[in-house]
Amino acid sequence: MGKLTVGALRAVLVVVFAGTVFVQALMVWALVSGGDPEDGALPLTPLRVITILGMVSVQVALVCVGRLVTMVRRGTVFSPAAFRYVDGVIGSIVAASLVWFAVTAVNAPGQREDPGVTVIMAGVGVAILGVALIVLVLRMLLAQAVARDVEATHMQAELDEVI
């Protein structure tokens, strides 16, 4: 991975992380100040709490991806240490889908006349879970690559002994 690619990815990760912190700060401020009254159209307090939790799941994924990028740059990504970060990404994606299902549940009572919106939102939650499954498959590929690397190192050691 080139320096330009790593630098660009790190910049994107930092900007997105800063954006999530900003959104969290706004949501906390809105909760604490109680400045805008709920008119009953949407339950704003639960949606704000859900938004804060959703931003936490995004932040966890960003930190894990940042650590994986560092490991790629150092050439250490094919090691058992990478699994905890991949697991963190998978967990944060699953958490994001649960957060989305919570948004769907909070929004559902307002959609009584048009339940199709709730069905579509639930479908989006299932799609987010699908992304977690894709990352899980990639984790399995990483496990195979690590096993092959260990096997190759072992075989090279045996070959060095023979020679």
Side-chain angles (χ1 to χ4, degrees), residues 78 145-160:
F78 293 111
V146 168
R148 298 278 188 245
D149 190 45
V150 168
E151 184 180 342
T153 302
H154 179 69
M155 292 176 85
Q156 183 66 42
E158 286 181 2
L159 184 61
D160 288 343

Side-chain angles (χ1 to χ4, degrees), residues 24-25 97 117 119 128 137 149:
Q24 282 177 319
S97 71
V117 172
V119 172
I128 295 169
V137 168
D149 190 45

Side-chain angles (χ1 to χ4, degrees):
M1 191 180 252
K3 288 183 179 182
L4 181 62
T5 305
V6 170
L9 181 55
R10 285 184 178 158
V12 168
L13 292 174
V14 167
V15 168
V16 173
F17 192 87
T20 60
V21 170
F22 180 71
V23 169
Q24 282 177 319
L26 288 177
M27 292 298 114
V28 168
W29 176 255
L31 284 172
V32 171
S33 70
D36 76 330
E38 295 187 23
D39 63 357
L42 279 175
L44 294 179
T45 299
L47 286 175
R48 287 188 179 117
V49 171
I50 290 168
T51 300
I52 292 167
L53 295 174
M55 294 297 106
V56 169
S57 70
V58 171
Q59 290 166 347
V60 168
L62 292 170
V63 169
C64 290
V65 169
R67 294 298 302 153
L68 286 168
V69 168
T70 300
M71 293 180 81
V72 167
R73 188 74 184 130
R74 292 181 183 158
T76 60
V77 75
F78 293 111
S79 67
F83 291 119
R84 83 174 139 219
Y85 300 117
V86 176
D87 291 341
V89 171
I90 293 169
S92 67
I93 295 170
V94 170
S97 71
L98 295 176
V99 165
W100 185 255
F101 285 130
V103 169
T104 303
V106 168
N107 188 48
Q111 301 297 327
R112 293 182 198 268
E113 298 84 31
D114 187 14
V117 172
T118 302
V119 172
I120 291 170
M121 288 179 71
V124 170
V126 171
I128 295 169
L129 282 174
V131 172
L133 289 173
I134 291 169
V135 177
L136 180 62
V137 168
L138 294 174
R139 184 194 187 283
M140 289 182 216
L141 292 173
L142 177 63
Q144 287 179 353
V146 168
R148 298 278 188 245
D149 190 45
V150 168
E151 184 180 342
T153 302
H154 179 69
M155 292 176 85
Q156 183 66 42
E158 286 181 2
L159 184 61
D160 288 343
E161 285 179 16
V162 170
I163 296 175

